[in-house]
């Protein structure tokens, strides 16, 4: 069965390819990050101080602060400094906002060759900061919004109308426990029959069980899988202690009332591993897949894993991870890795459906541009498979 799945992808993901490419990928990432953060920080400080070397010395630790804050947030269990780490990550949003006007200033200087006075440099530096603050503020406000997307699906396998609420990537830690509480209140108001979490509910070791307890008020049974941030025993231990929450780790769970088979899979870093996990679980539950409305939940939306699932007769595949790109133009890079970046997709040959959640939270700075925090409502109606519909808010 595996031989039918995108052999070129398996070859590209081989151990030797990754071993040889890892230094280049790391160097490219480091260069891209420094260009994104160090350059605008240096440019502004150079304009304000009039000393490029002094600006470089000061800008270097500031440019590294967001990534260091992210590392600390993921590793530390000392809760009192959690707000400081979150604030450190917000600096990245400000630096991204200053990148464009910094580049415009330098390009203009090169093209016009006009000598700028000291007062003009100071004013330009202040203007770049103002633009960065305005950009970040707009993205911050957008990241606080929460929208509901409604879809209607059809299947002859369900015995009665079924409402599934799908949420993903809340990122408690980077986001507050109050944000999760707000998400859960909206979910409960939608009166779901079941709630599915497709990973990354939390992203910090400093998160406590009490921070996640709002999940018990979702108004329906909650079924969770783990993502790349909350994967492993830590996330499982916390989520498994919440009343009404069931963690599915590479196992299938039949739900007799709505005639559903729910298959939850752990997060896999590489596509071929995700395909193997899908193939193993779906093959082991072949009779259930044929007779029940089958939902597979896996954090990363690998195209090959979804196509493998639909070839076996899986009806619905739920994923997250991409954040819908979170901030444009980062979404263009995300789309290169995950073509299914967000929304509802159909496989006409097997009638399978993939829904990729843009997430209900944010990773890193609290900002979104070109994406929204989204709760998905999937109403599955009895009947022949037909065209799936979406009702926009």
């Amino acid at each position: 069965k595996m031989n039918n799945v995108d052999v070129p992808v398996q070859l590209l993901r081989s151990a030797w390819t990754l071993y040889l490419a890892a230094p280049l990928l790391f160097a490219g990432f480091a260069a891209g990050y420094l260009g994104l953060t160090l350059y605008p920080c240096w440019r502004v400080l150079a304009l304000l101080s009039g000393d490029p070397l002094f600006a470089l010395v000061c800008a270097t630790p500031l440019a590294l602060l967001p990534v260091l804050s992210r590392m600390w947030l993921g590793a530390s269990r000392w809760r009192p400094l959690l707000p400081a780490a979150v604030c450190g990550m917000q600096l990245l949003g400000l630096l991204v906002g200053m990148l464009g006007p910094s580049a415009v200033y330098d390009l203009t200087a090169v093209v016009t060759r006009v000598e700028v006075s000291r007062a003009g440099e100071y004013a330009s530096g202040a203007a770049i900061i103002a633009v960065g603050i305005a950009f970040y503020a707009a993205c911050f406000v957008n990241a606080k919004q929460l929208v509901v997307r409604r879809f209607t699906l059809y299947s002859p396998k369900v015995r009665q109308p079924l409402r599934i609420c799908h949420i993903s990537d809340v990122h408690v830690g980077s986001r507050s426990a109050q944000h999760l509480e707000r998400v859960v209140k909206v979910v409960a108001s939608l009166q779901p029959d079941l709630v599915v979490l497709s990973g990354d509910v939390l992203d910090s070791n400093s998160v406590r069980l009490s921070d996640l307890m709002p999940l018990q008020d979702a108004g329906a049974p909650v079924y969770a899988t783990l993502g790349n941030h909350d994967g492993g025993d830590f996330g499982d231990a916390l989520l498994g202690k919440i009343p009404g929450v069931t963690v599915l780790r590479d196992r299938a769970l039949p739900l007799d009332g709505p005639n559903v088979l729910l298959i939850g899979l752990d997060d896999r870093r590489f596509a071929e591993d995700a395909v193997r996990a899908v193939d193993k679980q779906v093959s082991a539950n072949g009779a259930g897949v044929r007779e029940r409305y089958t939902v597979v939940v896996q954090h990363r939306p690998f195209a090959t894993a979804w196509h493998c699932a639909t070839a076996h007769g899986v009806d619905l595949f739920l994923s997250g991870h991409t954040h819908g790109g979170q901030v444009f133009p980062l979404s263009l890079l995300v789309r290169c890795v995950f073509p299914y970046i967000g929304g509802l997709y159909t496989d006409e040959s097997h009638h399978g459906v993939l829904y990729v959640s843009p997430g209900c939270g944010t990773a890193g700075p609290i900002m979104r541009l070109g994406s929204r925090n989204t709760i998905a409502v999937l109403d599955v109606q009895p009947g022949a498979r037909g065209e799936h519909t979406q009702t926009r808010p």
Side-chain angles (χ1 to χ4, degrees):
K1 294 176 182 176
M2 289 295 299
N3 292 335
N4 296 327
V5 180
D6 208 350
V7 174
V9 171
Q10 295 183 20
L11 294 175
L12 289 173
R13 295 290 193 178
S14 66
W16 276 107
T17 302
L18 289 173
Y19 177 78
L20 295 173
L24 295 176
L25 291 174
F26 178 80
F29 174 80
Y33 177 81
L34 289 176
L36 189 69
T37 59
L38 181 59
Y39 164 66
C41 192
W42 167 81
R43 167 44 65 207
V44 168
L45 292 178
L47 289 171
L48 295 178
S49 68
D51 187 341
L53 182 58
F54 172 79
L56 180 62
V57 172
C58 295
T60 300
L62 287 174
L64 293 175
L65 182 59
V67 70
L68 294 176
S69 297
R70 174 67 258 181
M71 294 170 61
W72 183 90
L73 181 67
S76 177
R77 293 179 181 273
W78 197 26
R79 190 179 178 88
L81 286 183
L82 177 62
V86 173
C87 290
M89 288 189 296
Q90 306 318 308
L91 178 61
L92 178 60
L94 177 61
L95 294 176
V96 170
M98 296 192 305
L99 178 62
S102 296
V104 169
Y105 175 87
D106 282 332
L107 288 173
T108 302
V110 170
V111 172
T112 62
R113 298 181 181 275
V114 175
E115 185 174 349
V116 182
S117 66
R118 185 71 195 93
E121 288 182 342
Y122 194 88
S124 298
I128 291 173
I129 293 176
V131 171
I133 292 174
F135 174 84
Y136 175 71
C139 294
F140 180 86
V141 170
N142 188 44
K144 289 288 188 176
Q145 306 303 309
L146 187 62
V147 300
V148 177
R149 301 291 187 208
R150 300 174 183 268
F151 304 89
T152 302
L153 315 178
Y154 299 92
S155 174
K157 294 182 180 179
V158 295
R159 297 170 180 164
Q160 59 197 45
L162 172 67
R163 172 164 289 185
I164 302 172
C165 273
H166 176 214
I167 61 177
S168 186
D169 298 271
V170 183
H171 285 274
V172 177
S174 292
R175 302 298 295 264
S176 66
Q178 290 74 25
H179 178 71
L180 174 62
E181 184 177 1
R182 178 177 168 229
V183 171
V184 171
K185 284 183 178 180
V186 175
V187 168
S189 70
L190 297 169
Q191 300 180 324
D193 297 305
L194 60 96
V195 178
V196 174
L197 309 179
S198 56
D200 283 357
V201 177
L202 63 149
D203 65 3
S204 170
N205 289 338
S206 61
V207 173
R208 296 173 177 172
L209 178 61
S210 59
D211 296 329
L212 304 177
M213 288 305 287
L215 287 171
Q216 68 180 331
D217 300 321
V222 177
Y223 302 95
T225 60
L226 303 178
N228 57 301
H229 285 283
D230 58 9
D233 295 336
F234 178 71
D236 189 1
L238 284 181
L239 291 170
K241 294 178 181 178
I242 303 173
V245 176
T246 302
V247 181
L248 298 177
R249 304 191 64 181
D250 291 337
R251 68 185 181 99
L253 181 67
L255 306 176
D256 292 331
N259 196 41
V260 167
L261 178 65
L262 192 59
I263 300 176
L265 302 174
D266 275 359
D267 178 53
R268 263 72 178 187
R269 181 173 298 180
F270 303 122
E272 69 271 19
D273 295 329
V275 172
R276 291 191 189 99
V278 169
D279 185 74
K280 178 180 179 181
Q281 286 297 324
V282 174
S283 298
N285 295 275
V289 173
R290 290 189 295 271
E291 297 170 2
R292 295 174 180 266
Y293 187 81
T294 303
V295 182
V296 171
V297 187
Q298 190 172 52
H299 184 60
R300 305 191 201 208
F302 289 117
T304 48
W306 175 45
H307 292 313
C308 175
T310 57
H312 282 289
V314 169
D315 301 281
L316 178 61
F317 200 105
L318 299 176
S319 292
H321 184 64
T322 66
H323 294 219
Q326 189 165 323
V327 179
F328 181 86
L330 179 62
S331 53
L332 301 178
L333 299 178
V334 176
R335 194 180 293 274
C336 292
V337 181
F338 298 102
Y340 302 118
I341 192 174
L344 193 75
Y345 306 90
T346 58
D347 183 344
E348 297 299 336
S349 60
H350 298 98
H351 304 288
V353 176
L354 166 68
Y355 178 74
V356 182
S357 172
C360 295
T362 49
I366 302 175
M367 56 188 301
R368 279 186 179 270
L369 179 65
S371 65
R372 305 288 292 276
N373 294 326
T374 304
I375 297 172
V377 178
L378 301 125
D379 287 312
V380 187
Q381 301 288 345
R385 293 186 179 93
E387 183 177 354
H388 307 304
T389 61
Q390 175 184 2
T391 303
R392 297 187 179 275

